Amino acid sequence: MVLNGVRTGAGLWRGGPTEMERTMTQSLRENLHMVSDPRNLDASVDEVFLMMLGVACTSIEEVAAEEDETITAVVGFGGLLSGACVFRSGASAALTIAAKLTGMDFSEIDDTVKDAIGEVCNMLAGAWKGRVPDLSANCGLSIPAVITGSNYHIHVQAPEFRLHHAYRFDDSEFSVTIICDGLQ
């Protein structure tokens, strides 16, 4: 159905995708340079940490040393891009982040800390995908999964691209990785 020159939902089912929808679907691979631009990851970290935690982060080469206990949150992407946003830090950084986010003090990684780290990862994933219009409109996010423990690695076989940056604020360090294992 066309209303004032704009195709509405009912018409999409009968007539198939519009030219704009076909172009959007095809253009994400053509705009891989925008999707894989590392500046988008840095800007997303800046946005989330300044707005939600009130801290500025600086980019570092890598997290200095891994602690005995590590916390990792994973938020999946589905749609035109499949993959994940992975947030990883040691326990001390996780406790600091959760404290800044909630206004509470923590002495151990409990469910509230895990939820806070999962939410930070969710916000980072949303901020990152929001920087590419076609991706923003055609890619959903999963609920965060949070893993705690020591001496573990997350492996994705042959990703199309991988962005990995480490950051520091105050005495806390963490890393964020965007992994794309499929792109339409």
Side-chain angles (χ1 to χ4, degrees):
M1 167 195 236
V2 177
L3 195 65
N4 293 331
V6 176
R7 195 170 203 173
T8 63
L12 295 176
W13 293 106
R14 280 187 261 123
T18 65
E19 182 62 33
M20 185 173 97
E21 290 167 325
R22 280 192 298 275
T23 302
M24 286 174 62
T25 301
Q26 295 169 357
S27 69
L28 193 56
R29 183 166 290 286
E30 293 167 7
N31 291 323
L32 180 60
H33 65 284
M34 287 175 56
V35 176
S36 61
D37 187 341
R39 293 174 297 187
N40 288 335
L41 180 56
D42 292 339
S44 299
V45 169
D46 286 344
E47 175 186 326
V48 169
F49 275 74
L50 276 172
M51 186 183 321
M52 302 307 297
L53 284 77
V55 297
C57 295
T58 56
S59 186
I60 57 175
E61 285 297 314
E62 191 54 57
V63 173
E66 196 157 300
E67 296 178 36
D68 288 339
E69 187 169 17
T70 305
I71 184 165
T72 301
V74 180
V75 171
F77 297 113
L80 290 184
L81 180 140
S82 61
C85 176
V86 180
F87 176 94
R88 183 177 178 124
S89 76
S92 61
L95 297 174
T96 300
I97 291 166
K100 289 189 177 293
L101 189 63
T102 65
M104 301 166 48
D105 288 325
F106 299 95
S107 59
E108 63 182 25
I109 294 180
D110 62 11
D111 287 345
T112 303
V113 173
K114 292 174 189 174
D115 289 346
I117 297 303
E119 186 54 35
V120 166
C121 186
N122 188 52
M123 289 185 283
L124 290 168
W128 177 79
K129 81 175 190 101
R131 296 191 180 284
V132 179
D134 289 345
L135 185 59
S136 179
N138 297 288
C139 182
L141 300 177
S142 72
I143 60 170
V146 178
I147 305 151
T148 60
S150 60
N151 205 19
Y152 63 86
H153 301 279
I154 295 177
H155 173 74
V156 175
Q157 189 172 357
E160 291 215 23
F161 71 84
R162 179 180 181 268
L163 298 172
H164 176 80
H165 291 190
Y167 303 92
R168 173 182 294 127
F169 69 91
D170 301 332
D171 293 330
S172 298
E173 297 178 350
F174 62 93
S175 66
V176 180
T177 308
I178 302 289
I179 301 166
C180 172
D181 62 5
L183 191 62
Q184 294 184 14

